Amino acid sequence: MGQFERPRRIVQPGGAGTPSTSSDVLRGTGQNLTTGTSRRAVGAPGPAAPLRRERLAPRPRELRDAVGRLDAGLDENARRQLAEWIGEQYQASYGEIPLGFLARCYLGPPYVDHQLDLFQVIVRHFAPTDQVPEPFAGARMLVRSGGYAFVEVYSGGLLLPVLDDGTVVRP
């Protein structure tokens, strides 16, 4: 029997007030309807460092384009410079540099997704039957769903999916 993958969450595009994930719908708006007071969600986002607010800020177009260009057939020196620029942007704006990204690959068969690594500037392409190394393996199902531009992978295991419009989906 073949492997069957399902996306972890359903993302709904929308503006303010629209839940971004199915779990947001289940949690409601976070406001107590009888008293009008807000409640605060408490808890760690997983094995990674505490999830800070700035890490969930939308990714600007130039940053999303730069991440896409890492796989655009640049020479090694240009790719290394681009990776350094991306790392600087993440450090300055979001407080931490991801280990890398996993994204859908548009090279065509047999490749379905690829890994972009900011530290060694490695670009690896994976066929559907290839094993993706940890901690990137957890992002594969999200990328294969087709709903995200890329998934940021952090050293503590935190995965932050980024939509085409730059919105970061809260884990």
Side-chain angles (χ1 to χ4, degrees), residues 88-104:
E88 290 169 2
Q89 297 302 310
Y90 269 92
Q91 185 65 43
S93 299
Y94 310 111
E96 186 178 353
I97 302 171
L99 285 176
F101 309 94
L102 201 68
R104 174 175 255 168

Side-chain angles (χ1 to χ4, degrees), residues 110-111 125-132 140:
Y111 304 114
H125 298 272
F126 299 99
T129 57
D130 294 341
Q131 289 289 102
V132 177
R140 190 171 207 186

Side-chain angles (χ1 to χ4, degrees), residues 19-65:
S20 61
T21 65
S22 57
S23 57
D24 290 340
V25 172
L26 295 174
R27 281 193 295 265
T29 62
Q31 219 175 19
N32 185 329
L33 297 177
T34 57
T35 63
T37 60
S38 296
R39 67 178 178 207
R40 183 172 161 241
V42 178
L51 188 59
R52 296 191 311 257
R53 179 170 295 184
E54 64 265 10
R55 222 188 260 179
L56 296 174
R59 306 305 188 243
R61 164 68 64 198
E62 65 180 358
L63 186 58
R64 295 189 319 263
D65 289 346

Side-chain angles (χ1 to χ4, degrees), residues 45-59 63 67 86-87 89-102 115-119 133-139 142 150-162 166 168-169 171:
L51 188 59
R52 296 191 311 257
R53 179 170 295 184
E54 64 265 10
R55 222 188 260 179
L56 296 174
R59 306 305 188 243
L63 186 58
V67 170
I86 292 170
Q89 297 302 310
Y90 269 92
Q91 185 65 43
S93 299
Y94 310 111
E96 186 178 353
I97 302 171
L99 285 176
F101 309 94
L102 201 68
Q115 172 189 350
L116 307 169
D117 184 338
L118 288 181
F119 295 106
E134 291 295 334
F136 293 87
L142 297 171
F150 55 87
V151 177
E152 299 170 357
V153 180
Y154 290 88
S155 60
L158 177 65
L159 304 175
L160 290 180
V162 179
V168 176
V169 178

Side-chain angles (χ1 to χ4, degrees), residues 66 69-70 74-89 117-121:
R69 283 195 316 266
L70 278 174
L74 301 172
D75 65 30
E76 187 63 30
N77 189 34
R79 192 176 317 155
R80 188 168 306 285
Q81 289 176 349
L82 186 60
E84 287 174 10
W85 182 85
I86 292 170
E88 290 169 2
Q89 297 302 310
D117 184 338
L118 288 181
F119 295 106
Q120 298 170 355
V121 194

